[in-house]
Amino acid sequence: MQFLAELLILSYFSIHFAHAQNIFPDHFRLGVASASYQIEGGWNASDKGENIWDRLTHEHPEVIKDNSTGDVACDSYHLWKKDVEILKNLGVDYYRFSISWTRLLPTGRVDKISSDGLKYYNDLIDSLLENKIEPVVTLYHWDLPQALQYFGGWTNLITSDFFAQYARLVFSRFGDRVKTWITINEPYSICETTYGDFQGAPLIHSPGIGDYLCGKTILVAHSKAFHIYDKEFREKQGGKIGITIDTIWAEPRTNKSEDVEAAEREMQMSFGWWAHPIFSTNGDYPEIMKSRIEERSRQENFVESRLPSFTKEEILNLRGSADFLGLNHYNTKLISNTEFPIGEPSFQKDKGTSAFQDPNWKPNKHTVPWGFRKLLNWIKREYDNPLVYITENGFPDEGQLQDVGRVIFHKEMMKAMLQAIGDGCNIQSYTVWSIMDNMEWRDGYTIKFGLYQVDFNNPNRTRTPKASAKFFKTVIETRTIPENITMFIE
Ligand code: FCB
């Protein structure tokens, strides 16, 4: 009898406890994201200028998996009211979207401001606020003005000045209503995937050199925008400004010390490249990054390191230049130590690591909640528990309405995040990528991430909720992650 009572008490507590673990803390915020090039279309509407993705998709359709473009995409330039409607239906606390630089400034420069561009973003922001949805705005989500690419784009430090001027204009025009700013989305993708690995606009192949030049400009551009906000706008507008950095979780492939070190090096060089200058106590690039690139450059007969150094002033300006760390996370990878022979330089050779995704991971290789939890704890330890906003987390599939894989993914990832919060990590928001299916860069429309399906064959680009939309709506309404997901699936 006593045993039975104990069992009952125990199971009551374990159910209760499991439930408590699935509840979001007070004030935790839930939202969804998009990016201008991926959803807006209207690529040459009104006086919009050309950007590097317009140029790439028009001149080199062969590099996009389905030869598609973002010319129309979800047509949010015309259908933004529909976007606000679905956001309202989901009940999100905020909507993270990006401003298309050339829609606002057709030449990239502030001497010519597009009044239609201004109107477009003003209308969107006003309508979001009327519907009690906070606008969270990214200044740069990969669509650099083509006019700035002519003189090297992000490999030229002067681009940081153009970015700073653009940022000042955006703060001055929209900052009365926008209170959360993200300067730059995913510096690693902007610099490494494009200049280093030939994977996106402007499709320039300059591994181990162009990627590092780009990296310096991006970081300096971020710090300039931060200080402009800090000095000229913060007092009056009272918002927050940060940067969004993407990273995998690097898990050692074996427990041999060389692989354990390689995984740590992967974190330091892929993520710390961006986070260390801003969030660490000492600032600057991580030591291991400086020493490895310097040493390899020497062996390759360069007269100085291929990694451009920061001046003392740049280091100081970067250190602490964010009110929050925006984190985009998609994958965990197994990392092993790999020694590459001296030859043509590259970031991968500088790092000396190889990555591997285990196809046997359950429920699938994309859904690795334990990696997410480890990553969040690593950030907590490494940068003294900064304020973290999860600015993207998402699951790829073929776009079916019964997107069970996505429901499981978000359920498990959010649970892992709540566990990390239980570990003491200071995480205050979670953003699903994406509100709807869209133009997935070089994958075109072959991979989908949306909570809403978009009918790309219909001129109305009809948006239809998937199972994951119903699931996320319930999460937002109840502020709880439901254990049982069968009710969302038909
Ligand atoms: C991220 C990008 C976003 C989208 C998702 C799937 O790296 O920021 O635009 O492409 O991946």
Side-chain angles (χ1 to χ4, degrees), residues 49-60:
E50 187 188 21
N51 66 46
I52 56 174
W53 276 91
D54 296 325
R55 176 62 65 99
L56 175 70
T57 54
H58 294 158
E59 289 201 343
H60 291 286

Side-chain angles (χ1 to χ4, degrees), residues 39 73-76 79 82-83 86 90 397-403 406 432-439 445 447-458 460-470 490:
I39 66 160
C74 307
D75 204 15
S76 289
L79 301 175
K82 295 245 178 293
D83 296 347
I86 61 177
L90 275 178
D397 66 12
E398 286 161 2
Q400 63 276 22
L401 288 176
Q402 294 307 312
D403 55 343
R406 180 166 297 107
V432 170
W433 180 271
S434 171
I435 173 64
M436 59 192 155
D437 295 342
N438 56 52
M439 202 293 181
Y445 300 89
I447 298 183
K448 309 285 174 32
F449 283 86
L451 296 180
Y452 279 72
Q453 187 184 66
V454 175
D455 183 354
F456 291 103
N457 296 316
N458 185 327
N460 297 330
R461 295 296 194 268
T462 320
R463 287 105 160 101
T464 310
K466 303 180 188 175
S468 58
K470 295 170 196 158
E490 274 163 26

Side-chain angles (χ1 to χ4, degrees), residues 50-52 102 106-109 144-151:
E50 187 188 21
N51 66 46
I52 56 174
T102 56
T107 60
R109 307 183 317 247
L144 189 77
Q146 179 62 34
L148 303 187
Q149 192 60 50
Y150 291 133
F151 46 88

